[in-house]
Amino acid sequence: MLSPSNPNPIPTPPRRSPTLKQFCTYLRLNHQGGRWVLEWKTEPRLRRNIQLYIAQDPNFADLCDRQDDGTGLEQFWIALALNSLPPQGWEPPDRQQLAFQHLASYYEPICHQAARTIVHQHSQILWEDAFTIARLWLQKQDKLADILRKYQPNGPAKFSTYLQSVLMRNIKSETDVGRYSYWRLLCKAPDYEIAQALESVYLGKTQASQLLLARKLFKKVYIAHHINGGGRTRREIWPAPQKEDFAETANFYNAQRLLPSALPEVAANPPSNAEQIESWMHSCLKALKDKRGRENQVYSIDELEEKQGLEIPAPPTELEDAILEEESEGDLQDCPGTQLKRIHELFETELRGCRSILEVQLGDRRVLIDKDRILILKYGVGLTQHQIGELRGMNQSSVNRKLKTYKTHLLSALTQFIQPEERALDSVQGWLQKNFLSPNPADLIAQALGKAIATQKSEDRELLSLRYGQKLTVQQIGDRLGMTADQVNSKLSTIETQLHKGLCTTLENWIKKYVDKWLYDFYQSALSQLLNQGFNLLSPDIQKILKLSYNHRVPLDKIAAKLGLDQDRVHHLVWEGICLLESYLIQKLSDELKVSLLGNVERQQITQLTNDWLNSLHKSD
């Protein structure tokens, strides 16, 4: 991403006022019409924290009323950030982290100025890279704390000048070693980001797994040849790889695809070559660049379709995502979607059959809870066993024992329903013939068999790949491996028997985990519907603004301009809507559960639930 010149003019941030906004807004960088533009965006959590201190701390409220440049509030947050004393009863537990975030927001213009200055001095550095480096450094609390402690107020330089010089040194250090070349980007991006980027271009699970393994091996080869070794000097950018790098990566890939650690879909596919590896690396790089470009996309309000109210489905569990991803082409009674529905129905029936289970009305839905309210407090509100015990006047061992009772009951029912021994006997060979090359994550047996295959020896995995992946006949495999057809069949039969044993073990462990997943989904779904009902009780203006902000990711200043409202008014309505949602959830839960959720821990969990629900609104479209 280094360039001999900067074709894009450096954008100038709009003026930020009044004083309070300096501590809860950050610069958002967008690419419009071939150029970078900056806009201020409010961080709701920081704004809520400021409102809390105004209401609870008279000294802070007095600082807010002063007509200055914000230095008084700056010193307030500095003192709070460097103070390790425990918070007061009304303060959030993470008050120090929030104080650092307020300061990082206040210092955003210094990041901009540092990037602008360094680019004027070194034209080969792109401004957007310099700005990103400065902001990422400033968000590291240990770095900022160290600077705040080292700065001498009586010294020759203002703090803004001192901080800017530190940021400039860091930018230069980062860019001088060429860390922002495209190949550096491919090597340094974390695995999860590469996986998300590949997922966004709708690659199948099999192909994505191949690319992820290839990229991991390419990274090691490239860094060994061009970064840690070779003739590259410290100030040179990361060079383009050579054909030999891709060829060596292919050799490593073909050797590792049959190791126990390799995924079944990788082992099932044929070996690779240098040309394939090179193509895969360019695909990874393109997907990664496209992903980062989309993250800076600006949405036009005129393109958004307004809806009346919201119906937010319950967020599916991780397992449910996999099960519902594809439908089996077989008998409808055995398809994964149908099986999942039957499991849900079984669990709800079994839960009703447990002793001490009550049915309460939460919004428009009847929800099953135990008389001690432990299940919904654990899996819905998200409290720990210790916190539940304190809230309900019980010791932690009693809470743990009651939870185990319910989970054991559900586990017993699920185990009888799945009956792995009976199903597995007829499933192994049929699954291998149909799904070995492209495992279907939607099938319960498929998931367990995939893990069982990973435990096989490399030569056995190779044999499975030849027979069920490359579709060679038994005779062709025998000719290639120097074996008779009977020996190949005998070997395959032994492997399938081992897979059957591994399948049962894996499936049993998976069943235990599913109980927790189902309980979490069951109660989270109930609270999501309750928040949805509370949302629809808000005023139309608040609903509209929250939908634009959270559902469609529209910046608040653009919402204000579109709706003809003052930006402060828009901020206030967002704040009011969030507070009303939290209050609605607390009131309904407290009334129905017969427990007080007004403690600091409980309120913090309610705030997190509301925030997670709002942030998931965009997934409902």
Side-chain angles (χ1 to χ4, degrees):
M1 295 177 68
L2 296 177
S3 172
S5 62
N6 283 284
N8 294 326
I10 298 175
T12 301
R15 183 173 178 273
R16 180 169 62 168
S17 62
T19 301
L20 285 179
K21 288 188 178 179
Q22 299 178 81
F23 295 92
C24 62
T25 54
Y26 62 94
L27 284 171
R28 179 171 180 173
L29 184 64
N30 292 307
H31 201 262
Q32 292 180 335
R35 65 185 183 90
W36 291 108
V37 295
L38 289 169
E39 60 185 9
W40 291 108
K41 184 171 178 63
T42 299
E43 175 56 53
R45 189 162 181 250
L46 296 182
R47 180 178 175 83
R48 292 198 298 271
N49 195 50
I50 288 175
Q51 296 290 347
L52 174 64
Y53 275 84
I54 289 176
Q56 298 289 341
D57 190 333
N59 177 50
F60 183 83
D62 180 62
L63 290 173
C64 294
D65 292 335
R66 294 182 184 179
Q67 299 299 317
D68 58 19
D69 58 357
T71 54
L73 287 173
E74 177 191 10
Q75 293 305 312
F76 177 89
W77 292 122
I78 289 176
L80 196 61
L82 301 181
N83 185 353
S84 59
L85 294 176
Q88 300 183 49
W90 57 267
E91 289 183 297
D94 55 345
R95 67 169 189 172
Q96 280 187 281
Q97 292 87 338
L98 288 169
F100 278 113
Q101 292 173 28
H102 284 300
L103 291 170
S105 174
Y106 183 64
Y107 298 142
E108 282 274 287
I110 301 179
C111 292
H112 177 270
Q113 186 58 41
R116 177 191 290 271
T117 304
I118 203 74
V119 168
H120 284 161
Q121 296 175 1
H122 304 276
S123 60
Q124 75 273 21
I125 302 175
L126 290 178
W127 176 85
E128 55 267 27
D129 289 342
F131 181 60
T132 300
I133 293 169
R135 295 183 73 205
L136 290 175
W137 187 92
L138 194 61
Q139 291 167 11
K140 298 177 181 178
Q141 295 179 14
D142 58 336
K143 301 290 187 182
L144 182 52
D146 190 48
I147 291 299
L148 292 171
R149 292 190 179 101
K150 287 182 177 180
Y151 174 67
Q152 298 295 328
N154 299 325
K158 294 181 179 179
F159 180 76
S160 59
T161 305
Y162 177 64
L163 179 59
Q164 180 177 324
S165 66
V166 173
L167 293 175
M168 289 173 60
R169 287 199 303 269
N170 190 64
I171 293 170
K172 193 171 185 300
S173 173
E174 290 284 319
T175 54
D176 274 350
V177 296
R179 294 181 178 179
Y180 283 83
S181 70
Y182 285 133
W183 294 105
R184 191 267 177 189
L185 176 67
L186 179 64
C187 290
K188 291 296 184 180
D191 292 340
Y192 73 85
E193 187 177 11
I194 296 288
Q196 291 173 351
L198 293 174
E199 180 183 354
S200 67
V201 295
Y202 304 106
L203 286 178
K205 183 175 183 292
T206 298
Q207 188 177 359
S209 299
Q210 293 175 283
L211 266 65
L212 288 171
L213 175 60
R215 178 259 183 182
K216 175 183 177 181
L217 299 173
F218 169 80
K219 171 183 172 180
K220 293 181 179 179
V221 171
Y222 177 87
I223 290 179
H225 287 181
H226 301 287
I227 306 304
N228 297 337
R232 172 184 171 272
T233 63
R234 184 176 182 274
R235 293 180 177 272
E236 290 179 339
I237 67 172
W238 291 31
Q242 303 299 311
K243 293 292 185 183
E244 293 78 9
D245 300 321
F246 298 119
E248 186 172 346
T249 301
N251 291 334
F252 281 126
Y253 177 89
N254 293 333
Q256 292 204 16
R257 56 181 282 270
L258 296 176
L259 294 178
S261 57
L263 295 173
E265 55 266 27
V266 174
N269 282 273
S272 187
N273 53 43
E275 291 74 19
Q276 181 70 72
I277 296 293
E278 182 176 7
S279 174
W280 282 350
M281 293 307 96
H282 283 289
S283 296
C284 287
L285 187 55
K286 182 179 185 303
L288 183 60
K289 290 190 291 185
D290 289 346
K291 174 183 179 294
R292 294 194 173 187
R294 284 192 303 273
E295 289 174 350
N296 288 323
Q297 182 179 359
V298 178
Y299 297 95
S300 169
I301 298 181
D302 294 331
E303 298 174 354
L304 301 177
E305 180 180 357
E306 288 295 325
K307 300 178 182 179
Q308 296 298 321
L310 281 175
E311 289 299 330
I312 310 299
T317 63
E318 181 180 312
L319 176 64
E320 195 169 325
D321 275 332
I323 293 177
L324 294 178
E325 183 177 328
E326 296 182 27
E327 288 295 331
S328 170
E329 297 178 359
D331 188 343
L332 181 63
Q333 293 301 317
D334 294 326
C335 77
T338 302
Q339 186 180 42
L340 180 66
K341 181 180 179 181
R342 289 161 60 195
I343 292 175
H344 283 336
E345 292 173 349
L346 169 73
F347 267 6
E348 189 161 345
T349 299
E350 290 298 325
L351 189 58
R352 289 178 184 275
C354 293
R355 293 193 304 171
S356 304
I357 291 295
L358 310 173
E359 193 174 57
V360 300
Q361 187 76 31
L362 284 183
D364 297 329
R365 178 174 176 177
R366 302 289 294 177
V367 178
L368 301 171
I369 65 171
D370 55 300
K371 70 174 184 179
D372 295 306
R373 279 69 171 168
I374 291 176
L375 291 173
I376 193 168
L377 291 174
K378 166 68 174 174
Y379 296 99
V381 180
L383 299 180
T384 65
Q385 292 183 20
H386 177 72
Q387 291 165 349
I388 294 172
E390 289 189 337
L391 185 64
R392 300 298 296 145
M394 306 165 61
N395 57 49
Q396 185 175 345
S397 60
S398 296
V399 175
N400 183 52
R401 184 173 62 254
K402 290 176 181 294
L403 284 173
K404 282 186 176 180
T405 298
Y406 294 116
K407 291 166 65 175
T408 301
H409 194 85
L410 296 175
L411 175 61
S412 175
L414 181 60
T415 304
Q416 295 174 13
F417 174 80
I418 296 293
Q419 295 176 336
E421 289 289 344
E422 295 181 15
R423 291 193 60 194
L425 289 172
D426 299 326
S427 298
V428 173
Q429 190 176 67
W431 183 89
L432 290 170
Q433 292 173 346
K434 185 177 180 182
N435 300 310
F436 183 75
L437 187 61
S438 299
N440 178 5
D443 185 79
L444 307 179
I445 296 296
Q447 293 181 58
L449 268 175
K451 293 183 179 180
I453 289 174
T455 65
Q456 298 297 304
K457 299 177 181 178
S458 59
E459 56 267 27
D460 293 342
R461 288 159 64 90
E462 175 65 16
L463 186 59
L464 290 173
S465 176
L466 293 172
R467 182 69 180 99
Y468 298 108
Q470 301 179 43
K471 305 296 184 183
L472 299 184
T473 64
V474 171
Q475 187 61 52
Q476 290 172 327
I477 295 173
D479 293 341
R480 176 176 296 192
L481 302 180
M483 302 168 62
T484 65
D486 288 342
Q487 289 175 324
V488 173
N489 278 324
S490 176
K491 186 65 174 176
L492 285 172
S493 178
T494 300
I495 295 172
E496 289 165 5
T497 300
Q498 293 171 348
L499 289 179
H500 168 251
K501 294 179 180 179
L503 164 65
C504 295
T505 300
T506 302
L507 194 57
E508 181 180 352
N509 293 333
W510 174 85
I511 288 172
K512 294 178 181 178
K513 294 179 180 179
Y514 188 83
V515 173
D516 267 328
K517 291 178 181 291
W518 183 85
L519 285 167
Y520 173 83
D521 179 51
F522 183 80
Y523 291 106
Q524 287 288 313
S525 173
L527 298 190
S528 291
Q529 291 193 19
L530 193 59
L531 280 167
N532 181 65
Q533 184 182 45
F535 183 93
N536 289 323
L537 295 175
L538 299 175
S539 71
D541 287 343
I542 293 179
Q543 285 191 42
K544 180 183 294 184
I545 291 173
L546 287 177
K547 282 191 287 183
L548 289 172
S549 178
Y550 287 95
N551 203 37
H552 301 299
R553 298 297 196 257
V554 179
L556 294 184
D557 57 345
K558 294 186 178 298
I559 295 175
K562 178 65 178 179
L563 301 181
L565 298 173
D566 180 79
Q567 192 169 343
D568 285 338
R569 176 62 177 164
V570 172
H571 282 291
H572 175 76
L573 290 175
V574 170
W575 167 251
E576 182 182 348
I578 293 172
C579 290
L580 289 173
L581 279 175
E582 292 178 3
S583 298
Y584 181 83
L585 186 56
I586 289 174
Q587 179 187 350
K588 288 295 183 180
L589 286 177
S590 298
D591 291 346
E592 296 298 337
L593 301 183
K594 310 301 182 187
V595 295
S596 173
L597 297 175
L598 299 178
N600 190 43
V601 172
E602 293 80 30
R603 291 189 69 92
Q604 185 178 359
Q605 288 300 122
I606 293 296
T607 297
Q608 186 63 52
L609 281 170
T610 306
N611 183 65
D612 291 345
W613 184 82
L614 286 168
N615 285 321
S616 69
L617 291 185
H618 71 285
K619 300 178 182 179
S620 65
D621 280 352

